Amino acid sequence: MEEKKFSDFRSDTVTRPTKKMRLAMAEAEVGDDVLGDDPTVKKLEALGAEKIGKEAALFVPSGTMGNSIAVKVWTNELEEIIVEERSHIYNMESTHITFVSRVTPRPLPSNRGTMDPELVEKAIRKPAVHIPRTSLICIENTHNYWGGAVIPLENFKDLREVADKHGIKIHLDGARIFNASIASGIPVKEYTKYADSVMFCLSKGLSSPIGSLLAGSKEFIEKARRVRKLLGGGMRQVGIIAAAGIISLTEMIDRLVEDHRRAKKLAEGICNLPGIELNPDHVETNIIFLKFNHPKISLQEFLNRLKEKAVLALGLAGRIRLVTHKDIDDEDVEKAINAFKEILEY
Ligand SMILES: Cc1ncc(COP(=O)(O)O)c(C=O)c1O
């Protein structure tokens, strides 16, 4: 029996490594990275630092670990950090802010992920007997739960000004910073120069099987390396995985434009269907978040019926997420649009 091919729109993390990645992984030169002996990891870290415009970078197993290390390095216990209320770091990373760093998050509302600098400044607290010191602002670009929204460069400048005025740091959760750069046409370094540290993922649209990079000054990365070890993120012959990351950074960035084009096409194809609340103008990169509100079909029932038609989407907090990536082609998009129509138009 022919295997049923699912068109998997749940996430860009489902991308499989390319053939070239698998070959590079098989042939990677490796050593014990905790002892500083892995030449492939060193090459990836140097390349990542150069691409992102920072002095140094550290290979970490996941974006979550990269973010948690950054918060830990930039804060002391009993401090507070400013996060956007729908941000990944605040909602989806198992509370490492409080559990690992023992600081409290101060979530702020935003305009599709862009926090008002005046509001941020008002939220910055000077320490007193009842009050924690604010030590960090976190920005997410692109913003996952605002449907892959690109945060404007102007906002980075404004938040940097606020941070400098109050002597606090900025961490950029740039899990998909290359998507932001490809969509806006603004070089990635233009965004990152306003942040003290940046985490970016190799394992999402850039198609590596595993891994993220955390980047910043040499001093920051030295401290980050110690925190990575205590969190159990010191890996040994990890050049095997880093080899794929090098291909992510050299060959997989420019193709993101295709993912953006397909996400837009999908959004335009489904936005007027009954039960779908979606503004296709809000689809700027590879993520679609839509509200599902159908009089006869529940969200879960709809996802099940899509699955029967070999289309996978993710239900998250009463909404549906669809993400385009390397393993989604034009045919998958057509198939998804038709599946939506068949279920919702009849
Ligand atoms: C914006 C953002 N930050 C961080 C992460 C965490 O990455 P990981 O799944 O590698 O821990 C994700 C994962 O989806 C994300 O979307």
Side-chain angles (χ1 to χ4, degrees):
M1 206 174 77
E2 199 181 302
E3 199 189 328
K4 192 174 182 186
K5 184 191 176 286
F6 283 99
S7 300
D8 194 345
F9 289 88
R10 288 172 302 167
S11 176
D12 45 10
T13 55
V14 303
T15 44
R16 305 239 165 43
T18 63
K19 209 169 192 173
K20 198 163 171 185
M21 283 178 178
R22 288 182 187 270
L23 285 174
M25 291 165 81
E27 288 168 4
E29 219 187 308
V30 296
D32 186 332
D33 183 51
V34 175
L35 302 180
D37 288 349
D38 193 304
T40 309
V41 172
K42 283 189 176 154
K43 191 171 162 193
L44 171 67
E45 289 176 343
L47 178 66
E50 193 277 315
K51 286 242 176 223
I52 213 77
K54 294 289 172 200
E55 266 180 7
L58 183 71
F59 190 42
V60 288
S62 67
T64 300
M65 190 182 284
N67 282 338
S68 50
I69 292 171
V71 176
K72 183 72 192 149
V73 171
W74 290 133
T75 60
N76 297 301
E77 285 185 11
L78 310 180
E79 292 180 344
E80 183 168 85
I81 69 170
I82 291 175
V83 293
E84 194 277 335
E85 66 184 359
R86 284 198 193 178
S87 61
H88 198 277
I89 202 166
Y90 175 52
N91 291 289
M92 298 296 282
E93 298 187 4
S94 307
T95 71
H96 64 71
I97 293 171
T98 44
F99 185 69
V100 175
S101 296
R102 296 168 62 87
V103 296
T104 42
R106 161 69 72 106
L108 295 185
S110 72
N111 175 14
R112 303 193 65 245
T114 299
M115 291 183 286
D116 177 353
E118 269 182 41
L119 205 64
V120 171
E121 185 159 19
K122 272 194 200 143
I124 292 173
R125 309 217 271 176
K126 291 269 176 289
V129 68
H130 320 279
I131 300 170
R133 172 180 177 266
T134 305
S135 44
L136 184 67
I137 301 168
C138 297
I139 310 175
E140 183 174 317
N141 196 20
T142 63
H143 198 298
N144 187 343
Y145 291 95
W146 282 104
V150 179
I151 308 302
L153 188 61
E154 203 55 35
N155 188 247
F156 277 73
K157 282 186 204 166
D158 293 346
L159 291 179
R160 180 78 261 172
E161 245 176 60
V162 171
D164 286 346
K165 192 167 149 194
H166 295 274
I168 61 186
K169 301 291 183 191
I170 294 183
H171 172 65
L172 170 59
D173 176 348
R176 297 181 183 81
I177 190 64
F178 290 102
N179 292 83
S181 166
I182 291 285
S184 65
I186 295 169
V188 95
K189 292 180 191 177
E190 285 298 308
Y191 292 108
T192 59
K193 75 181 184 195
Y194 297 109
D196 298 286
S197 57
V198 187
M199 184 286 291
F200 58 105
C201 293
L202 304 165
S203 62
K204 301 199 163 57
L206 303 185
S207 305
S208 274
I210 304 167
S212 295
L213 284 162
L214 178 63
S217 68
K218 279 188 183 149
E219 194 191 343
F220 169 80
I221 291 299
E222 240 172 71
K223 291 181 184 160
R225 194 177 292 282
R226 289 198 58 191
V227 178
R228 183 186 70 174
K229 189 71 177 78
L230 78 85
L231 293 175
M235 299 179 284
R236 302 296 177 173
Q237 283 76 28
V238 71
I240 296 243
I241 301 170
I246 291 169
I247 295 173
S248 284
L249 290 180
T250 49
E251 297 185 19
M252 305 303 285
I253 295 174
D254 291 344
R255 62 153 306 288
L256 295 173
V257 71
E258 288 297 306
D259 299 344
H260 300 174
R261 177 181 65 74
R262 291 190 176 110
K264 188 69 127 187
K265 185 157 184 234
L266 176 55
E268 283 165 354
I270 60 177
C271 66
N272 292 321
L273 292 170
I276 302 290
E277 282 178 40
L278 168 67
N279 180 350
D281 293 342
H282 285 170
V283 179
E284 298 173 74
T285 58
N286 68 329
I287 301 178
I288 298 172
F289 250 110
L290 59 89
K291 266 199 193 142
F292 187 76
N293 193 8
H294 195 279
K296 292 201 181 120
I297 309 172
S298 73
L299 189 147
Q300 191 52 51
E301 198 183 334
F302 180 59
L303 293 176
N304 294 345
R305 285 171 69 177
L306 280 178
K307 193 172 177 184
E308 282 164 18
K309 293 179 183 296
V311 172
L312 301 180
L314 204 64
L316 274 172
R319 296 187 298 159
I320 292 175
R321 190 178 77 169
L322 297 146
V323 185
T324 52
H325 50 76
K326 169 183 77 61
D327 297 337
I328 290 290
D329 61 17
D330 290 328
E331 240 175 68
D332 292 305
V333 170
E334 278 308 313
K335 180 172 143 191
I337 293 171
N338 289 335
F340 269 70
K341 283 184 178 165
E342 281 161 25
I343 300 167
L344 297 173
E345 278 184 339
Y346 302 103

mmCIF file of all heavy atoms in Angstrom, residues 5-35:
data_model
loop_
_atom_site.group_PDB
_atom_site.id
_atom_site.type_symbol
_atom_site.label_atom_id
_atom_site.label_comp_id
_atom_site.label_asym_id
_atom_site.label_seq_id
_atom_site.Cartn_x
_atom_site.Cartn_y
_atom_site.Cartn_z
ATOM 1 N N LYS A 5 0.842 10.465 2.254
ATOM 2 C CA LYS A 5 1.772 11.574 2.497
ATOM 3 C C LYS A 5 1.038 12.728 3.182
ATOM 4 O O LYS A 5 0.114 13.296 2.637
ATOM 5 C CB LYS A 5 2.386 12.049 1.187
ATOM 6 C CG LYS A 5 3.423 13.139 1.406
ATOM 7 C CD LYS A 5 3.845 13.804 0.106
ATOM 8 C CE LYS A 5 4.799 14.961 0.349
ATOM 9 N NZ LYS A 5 4.152 16.164 0.898
ATOM 10 N N PHE A 6 1.456 12.996 4.392
ATOM 11 C CA PHE A 6 0.864 14.120 5.099
ATOM 12 C C PHE A 6 1.541 15.423 4.679
ATOM 13 O O PHE A 6 2.757 15.462 4.516
ATOM 14 C CB PHE A 6 1.025 13.945 6.613
ATOM 15 C CG PHE A 6 0.060 12.953 7.193
ATOM 16 C CD1 PHE A 6 0.444 11.648 7.460
ATOM 17 C CD2 PHE A 6 -1.250 13.337 7.458
ATOM 18 C CE1 PHE A 6 -0.462 10.734 7.986
ATOM 19 C CE2 PHE A 6 -2.163 12.438 7.979
ATOM 20 C CZ PHE A 6 -1.759 11.131 8.242
ATOM 21 N N SER A 7 0.747 16.454 4.512
ATOM 22 C CA SER A 7 1.310 17.792 4.341
ATOM 23 C C SER A 7 1.320 18.400 5.735
ATOM 24 O O SER A 7 0.263 18.697 6.297
ATOM 25 C CB SER A 7 0.429 18.620 3.395
ATOM 26 O OG SER A 7 0.363 17.967 2.148
ATOM 27 N N ASP A 8 2.504 18.557 6.279
ATOM 28 C CA ASP A 8 2.627 18.864 7.702
ATOM 29 C C ASP A 8 2.884 20.357 7.925
ATOM 30 O O ASP A 8 4.017 20.838 7.810
ATOM 31 C CB ASP A 8 3.756 18.021 8.296
ATOM 32 C CG ASP A 8 3.720 18.023 9.814
ATOM 33 O OD1 ASP A 8 3.012 18.882 10.390
ATOM 34 O OD2 ASP A 8 4.396 17.177 10.425
ATOM 35 N N PHE A 9 1.813 21.074 8.246
ATOM 36 C CA PHE A 9 1.892 22.530 8.461
ATOM 37 C C PHE A 9 1.988 22.867 9.954
ATOM 38 O O PHE A 9 1.831 24.026 10.315
ATOM 39 C CB PHE A 9 0.630 23.215 7.900
ATOM 40 C CG PHE A 9 0.550 23.237 6.396
ATOM 41 C CD1 PHE A 9 -0.035 22.179 5.703
ATOM 42 C CD2 PHE A 9 1.033 24.311 5.666
ATOM 43 C CE1 PHE A 9 -0.131 22.195 4.320
ATOM 44 C CE2 PHE A 9 0.945 24.345 4.286
ATOM 45 C CZ PHE A 9 0.358 23.281 3.604
ATOM 46 N N ARG A 10 2.221 21.853 10.818
ATOM 47 C CA ARG A 10 2.168 22.155 12.249
ATOM 48 C C ARG A 10 3.256 23.127 12.687
ATOM 49 O O ARG A 10 3.039 23.984 13.535
ATOM 50 C CB ARG A 10 2.279 20.858 13.064
ATOM 51 C CG ARG A 10 1.022 19.990 12.988
ATOM 52 C CD ARG A 10 1.268 18.657 13.650
ATOM 53 N NE ARG A 10 2.403 17.958 13.033
ATOM 54 C CZ ARG A 10 3.012 16.907 13.540
ATOM 55 N NH1 ARG A 10 2.593 16.405 14.685
ATOM 56 N NH2 ARG A 10 4.034 16.344 12.910
ATOM 57 N N SER A 11 4.459 22.952 12.098
ATOM 58 C CA SER A 11 5.585 23.794 12.537
ATOM 59 C C SER A 11 6.722 23.691 11.534
ATOM 60 O O SER A 11 6.817 22.694 10.804
ATOM 61 C CB SER A 11 6.070 23.294 13.904
ATOM 62 O OG SER A 11 7.207 24.023 14.313
ATOM 63 N N ASP A 12 7.612 24.685 11.552
ATOM 64 C CA ASP A 12 8.819 24.555 10.734
ATOM 65 C C ASP A 12 9.870 23.701 11.433
ATOM 66 O O ASP A 12 10.943 23.425 10.875
ATOM 67 C CB ASP A 12 9.390 25.935 10.341
ATOM 68 C CG ASP A 12 9.428 26.913 11.499
ATOM 69 O OD1 ASP A 12 9.195 26.496 12.651
ATOM 70 O OD2 ASP A 12 9.696 28.109 11.264
ATOM 71 N N THR A 13 9.578 23.258 12.659
ATOM 72 C CA THR A 13 10.504 22.337 13.338
ATOM 73 C C THR A 13 10.401 20.917 12.782
ATOM 74 O O THR A 13 11.218 20.071 13.118
ATOM 75 C CB THR A 13 10.199 22.274 14.851
ATOM 76 O OG1 THR A 13 8.824 21.925 15.019
ATOM 77 C CG2 THR A 13 10.466 23.605 15.519
ATOM 78 N N VAL A 14 9.397 20.652 11.961
ATOM 79 C CA VAL A 14 9.242 19.279 11.431
ATOM 80 C C VAL A 14 10.140 19.037 10.208
ATOM 81 O O VAL A 14 10.218 17.919 9.712
ATOM 82 C CB VAL A 14 7.766 18.953 11.044
ATOM 83 C CG1 VAL A 14 6.850 19.136 12.227
ATOM 84 C CG2 VAL A 14 7.293 19.776 9.844
ATOM 85 N N THR A 15 10.830 20.079 9.747
ATOM 86 C CA THR A 15 11.696 19.917 8.560
ATOM 87 C C THR A 15 12.735 18.833 8.784
ATOM 88 O O THR A 15 13.338 18.736 9.854
ATOM 89 C CB THR A 15 12.450 21.231 8.257
ATOM 90 O OG1 THR A 15 12.942 21.752 9.478
ATOM 91 C CG2 THR A 15 11.554 22.240 7.571
ATOM 92 N N ARG A 16 12.932 18.052 7.765
ATOM 93 C CA ARG A 16 13.948 16.992 7.840
ATOM 94 C C ARG A 16 15.256 17.523 7.261
ATOM 95 O O ARG A 16 15.239 18.360 6.349
ATOM 96 C CB ARG A 16 13.488 15.795 7.039
ATOM 97 C CG ARG A 16 12.110 15.284 7.469
ATOM 98 C CD ARG A 16 12.196 13.866 7.920
ATOM 99 N NE ARG A 16 11.068 13.351 8.668
ATOM 100 C CZ ARG A 16 9.771 13.510 8.450
ATOM 101 N NH1 ARG A 16 9.342 14.294 7.503
ATOM 102 N NH2 ARG A 16 8.879 12.891 9.186
ATOM 103 N N PRO A 17 16.397 17.031 7.757
ATOM 104 C CA PRO A 17 17.678 17.488 7.193
ATOM 105 C C PRO A 17 17.788 17.134 5.708
ATOM 106 O O PRO A 17 17.254 16.109 5.276
ATOM 107 C CB PRO A 17 18.731 16.742 8.016
ATOM 108 C CG PRO A 17 18.009 15.646 8.723
ATOM 109 C CD PRO A 17 16.578 16.055 8.844
ATOM 110 N N THR A 18 18.463 17.990 4.953
ATOM 111 C CA THR A 18 18.650 17.711 3.523
ATOM 112 C C THR A 18 19.682 16.583 3.362
ATOM 113 O O THR A 18 20.414 16.259 4.298
ATOM 114 C CB THR A 18 19.172 18.957 2.791
ATOM 115 O OG1 THR A 18 20.465 19.283 3.343
ATOM 116 C CG2 THR A 18 18.249 20.143 2.959
ATOM 117 N N LYS A 19 19.730 16.068 2.152
ATOM 118 C CA LYS A 19 20.707 15.012 1.842
ATOM 119 C C LYS A 19 22.129 15.520 2.111
ATOM 120 O O LYS A 19 22.960 14.819 2.691
ATOM 121 C CB LYS A 19 20.567 14.635 0.364
ATOM 122 C CG LYS A 19 20.945 13.223 0.074
ATOM 123 C CD LYS A 19 20.521 12.854 -1.320
ATOM 124 C CE LYS A 19 20.641 11.357 -1.457
ATOM 125 N NZ LYS A 19 20.115 10.877 -2.697
ATOM 126 N N LYS A 20 22.358 16.754 1.687
ATOM 127 C CA LYS A 20 23.686 17.336 1.882
ATOM 128 C C LYS A 20 24.025 17.435 3.382
ATOM 129 O O LYS A 20 25.168 17.197 3.784
ATOM 130 C CB LYS A 20 23.703 18.731 1.234
ATOM 131 C CG LYS A 20 25.082 19.242 0.992
ATOM 132 C CD LYS A 20 25.074 20.373 0.005
ATOM 133 C CE LYS A 20 26.458 20.995 -0.051
ATOM 134 N NZ LYS A 20 26.504 22.171 -0.889
ATOM 135 N N MET A 21 23.023 17.765 4.174
ATOM 136 C CA MET A 21 23.251 17.814 5.628
ATOM 137 C C MET A 21 23.622 16.432 6.156
ATOM 138 O O MET A 21 24.559 16.272 6.932
ATOM 139 C CB MET A 21 21.982 18.293 6.353
ATOM 140 C CG MET A 21 21.741 19.775 6.263
ATOM 141 S SD MET A 21 20.194 20.203 7.092
ATOM 142 C CE MET A 21 20.200 21.980 6.886
ATOM 143 N N ARG A 22 22.874 15.426 5.706
ATOM 144 C CA ARG A 22 23.147 14.063 6.199
ATOM 145 C C ARG A 22 24.561 13.627 5.820
ATOM 146 O O ARG A 22 25.260 12.996 6.617
ATOM 147 C CB ARG A 22 22.118 13.079 5.649
ATOM 148 C CG ARG A 22 20.732 13.242 6.275
ATOM 149 C CD ARG A 22 19.785 12.196 5.703
ATOM 150 N NE ARG A 22 18.422 12.392 6.118
ATOM 151 C CZ ARG A 22 17.864 11.863 7.222
ATOM 152 N NH1 ARG A 22 18.606 11.138 8.033
ATOM 153 N NH2 ARG A 22 16.606 12.079 7.511
ATOM 154 N N LEU A 23 24.998 13.974 4.609
ATOM 155 C CA LEU A 23 26.350 13.603 4.185
ATOM 156 C C LEU A 23 27.387 14.349 5.022
ATOM 157 O O LEU A 23 28.362 13.754 5.496
ATOM 158 C CB LEU A 23 26.548 13.934 2.694
ATOM 159 C CG LEU A 23 25.868 12.980 1.726
ATOM 160 C CD1 LEU A 23 26.004 13.474 0.287
ATOM 161 C CD2 LEU A 23 26.454 11.568 1.860
ATOM 162 N N ALA A 24 27.137 15.642 5.228
ATOM 163 C CA ALA A 24 28.076 16.447 6.024
ATOM 164 C C ALA A 24 28.144 15.904 7.451
ATOM 165 O O ALA A 24 29.219 15.872 8.076
ATOM 166 C CB ALA A 24 27.622 17.908 6.030
ATOM 167 N N MET A 25 26.994 15.463 7.967
ATOM 168 C CA MET A 25 26.972 14.915 9.327
ATOM 169 C C MET A 25 27.788 13.623 9.403
ATOM 170 O O MET A 25 28.539 13.391 10.351
ATOM 171 C CB MET A 25 25.519 14.660 9.767
ATOM 172 C CG MET A 25 24.746 15.944 9.985
ATOM 173 S SD MET A 25 22.966 15.669 10.074
ATOM 174 C CE MET A 25 22.818 15.123 11.761
ATOM 175 N N ALA A 26 27.652 12.802 8.368
ATOM 176 C CA ALA A 26 28.370 11.516 8.365
ATOM 177 C C ALA A 26 29.878 11.730 8.323
ATOM 178 O O ALA A 26 30.631 10.959 8.912
ATOM 179 C CB ALA A 26 27.915 10.688 7.162
ATOM 180 N N GLU A 27 30.267 12.806 7.650
ATOM 181 C CA GLU A 27 31.710 12.984 7.432
ATOM 182 C C GLU A 27 32.334 14.018 8.363
ATOM 183 O O GLU A 27 33.524 14.313 8.259
ATOM 184 C CB GLU A 27 31.938 13.410 5.970
ATOM 185 C CG GLU A 27 31.695 12.260 5.012
ATOM 186 C CD GLU A 27 31.629 12.698 3.559
ATOM 187 O OE1 GLU A 27 31.851 13.900 3.284
ATOM 188 O OE2 GLU A 27 31.353 11.826 2.721
ATOM 189 N N ALA A 28 31.545 14.572 9.283
ATOM 190 C CA ALA A 28 32.035 15.687 10.113
ATOM 191 C C ALA A 28 33.268 15.306 10.919
ATOM 192 O O ALA A 28 33.330 14.225 11.511
ATOM 193 C CB ALA A 28 30.925 16.142 11.057
ATOM 194 N N GLU A 29 34.209 16.247 10.960
ATOM 195 C CA GLU A 29 35.363 16.084 11.831
ATOM 196 C C GLU A 29 34.892 16.435 13.241
ATOM 197 O O GLU A 29 34.269 17.494 13.429
ATOM 198 C CB GLU A 29 36.408 17.105 11.383
ATOM 199 C CG GLU A 29 37.837 16.609 11.419
ATOM 200 C CD GLU A 29 38.785 17.747 11.112
ATOM 201 O OE1 GLU A 29 38.585 18.417 10.070
ATOM 202 O OE2 GLU A 29 39.672 17.989 11.925
ATOM 203 N N VAL A 30 35.176 15.593 14.209
ATOM 204 C CA VAL A 30 34.634 15.854 15.553
ATOM 205 C C VAL A 30 35.684 15.718 16.647
ATOM 206 O O VAL A 30 36.775 15.176 16.434
ATOM 207 C CB VAL A 30 33.445 14.906 15.875
ATOM 208 C CG1 VAL A 30 32.271 15.150 14.939
ATOM 209 C CG2 VAL A 30 33.879 13.447 15.841
ATOM 210 N N GLY A 31 35.347 16.205 17.829
ATOM 211 C CA GLY A 31 36.176 16.062 19.027
ATOM 212 C C GLY A 31 35.277 16.317 20.219
ATOM 213 O O GLY A 31 34.076 16.555 20.052
ATOM 214 N N ASP A 32 35.859 16.294 21.420
ATOM 215 C CA ASP A 32 35.044 16.517 22.618
ATOM 216 C C ASP A 32 34.816 18.022 22.798
ATOM 217 O O ASP A 32 35.739 18.756 23.180
ATOM 218 C CB ASP A 32 35.759 15.920 23.833
ATOM 219 C CG ASP A 32 34.900 15.989 25.077
ATOM 220 O OD1 ASP A 32 34.049 16.911 25.172
ATOM 221 O OD2 ASP A 32 35.067 15.132 25.956
ATOM 222 N N ASP A 33 33.599 18.459 22.525
ATOM 223 C CA ASP A 33 33.338 19.905 22.528
ATOM 224 C C ASP A 33 33.398 20.520 23.923
ATOM 225 O O ASP A 33 33.715 21.702 24.072
ATOM 226 C CB ASP A 33 31.978 20.207 21.870
ATOM 227 C CG ASP A 33 31.735 21.708 21.791
ATOM 228 O OD1 ASP A 33 32.636 22.417 21.291
ATOM 229 O OD2 ASP A 33 30.689 22.171 22.253
ATOM 230 N N VAL A 34 33.102 19.722 24.956
ATOM 231 C CA VAL A 34 33.185 20.282 26.315
ATOM 232 C C VAL A 34 34.649 20.623 26.635
ATOM 233 O O VAL A 34 34.941 21.576 27.348
ATOM 234 C CB VAL A 34 32.579 19.292 27.342
ATOM 235 C CG1 VAL A 34 32.766 19.809 28.763
ATOM 236 C CG2 VAL A 34 31.086 19.087 27.069
ATOM 237 N N LEU A 35 35.561 19.861 26.038
ATOM 238 C CA LEU A 35 36.987 20.157 26.225
ATOM 239 C C LEU A 35 37.489 21.161 25.181
ATOM 240 O O LEU A 35 38.683 21.450 25.109
ATOM 241 C CB LEU A 35 37.807 18.857 26.142
ATOM 242 C CG LEU A 35 37.437 17.758 27.150
ATOM 243 C CD1 LEU A 35 38.319 16.525 26.958
ATOM 244 C CD2 LEU A 35 37.584 18.269 28.582
#
